Amino acid sequence: MSGRDTVLRDIRSALADVPGAEAPDDDPVPHDPRSQQAGLDVVELFIERAADYRATVVRVPPSDAVAAVGRALARTGARSVVLPPGFPDDLVPEGPWSRLEDVLPLTVRQLDAADAVLTTVAAAIALTGTVVLDSGPGQGRRALTLLPDQHVCVVRASQITADVPEVLNLLHPRRPLTLISGPSATSDIELERVEGVHGPRTLDIVVIADE
C-alpha cells in the first residue's frame, strides 16, 4: 500500500460516522479567546515571555518613554538610527546618534551600516512574547527591521493581546505581517546558538503603560 493510499484510508476511517449531507460549517467550533484568557495580566505576561526570548524589556510611564528609548540606544552605543515614516517625533530621543529617515527610501547598504532602528508595532501577543508589525505608520517596510543590528520597539500597553487568535481578529489579513519573538537567532550544526544572522542581534522593547 502506498503512502497516498494509507492517508486516504485514515481519512475515510475518521469520517465514517459523519453524515453524508453534513457540511463543515454546520457544526461550528465556539472560540472566544478573551474568555479563555480571562483574568490574565497580559502586560506582565508579555514582558515575562519576551524576556524569555532574550529581549530586553522595560515598562515605563508615558512621561519616561522617550528617555527609555534613549537608554536602549545608549546601552549599545548606537551612532546612527533609522526612523520609519510616521514614527512619533515625541519618542525620538536626543543623543550622539544621527537620524536616518527612510523617505527615499534608504539603500540596503545604508540600512546595513545603521546601528539601530526605532519602530512602533501593530500589536503584541502576551502568551508568546511576540511583537507584530504590519508596515503601518511608525513601522516601515520589512527591511528596516532586518538589517540594523539593534531594533528598539515601542509597544503601548493597550496594544497587547492575550493570544494569537485574539491578535488575528485585530489585524488586516492583506497587510504584510512580521512576527518577532526575541532577537534573531539560529543554531549551527553543533547546536551552538548564533544571534544576528537573519535579523537584529539585539531587541529592546519599551512598553508604555496606560495613563
Side-chain angles (χ1 to χ4, degrees), residues 11 40 45 82 101 112 118 134 152 177 204 206:
I11 292 174
L40 278 181
L45 182 60
V82 176
E101 298 190 11
D112 190 47
L118 304 183
D134 67 359
V152 181
L177 301 179
D204 286 270
V206 177

Side-chain angles (χ1 to χ4, degrees), residues 60-139:
V60 297
S63 59
D64 192 38
V66 65
V69 173
R71 290 192 293 268
L73 294 172
R75 182 173 57 84
T76 61
R79 294 295 177 181
S80 57
V81 180
V82 176
L83 298 175
F87 189 86
D89 290 336
D90 59 350
L91 290 177
V92 181
E94 297 294 333
W97 38 79
S98 59
R99 303 182 185 186
L100 303 174
E101 298 190 11
D102 187 46
V103 292
L104 292 179
L106 298 171
T107 66
V108 170
R109 180 170 294 183
Q110 288 174 307
L111 290 175
D112 190 47
D115 294 317
V117 58
L118 304 183
T119 74
T120 57
V121 301
I125 308 170
L127 283 180
T128 59
T130 302
V131 293
V132 184
L133 281 67
D134 67 359
S135 298
Q139 301 164 58

Side-chain angles (χ1 to χ4, degrees), residues 6 13 142 168:
T6 300
S13 176
R142 187 169 292 170
L168 290 178

Side-chain angles (χ1 to χ4, degrees), residues 50-51 53-58 72 75 151 153 183 202-206:
Y53 279 109
R54 302 193 183 186
T56 300
V57 191
V58 295
R75 182 173 57 84
H151 180 188
C153 194
T202 303
L203 176 63
D204 286 270
I205 301 175
V206 177

Side-chain angles (χ1 to χ4, degrees), residues 42 46 123-127 157-164 166-167 170:
V42 293
F46 170 76
I125 308 170
L127 283 180
S158 58
Q159 294 179 295
I160 301 175
T161 63
D163 57 15
V164 175
E166 184 176 340
V167 80
L170 303 177

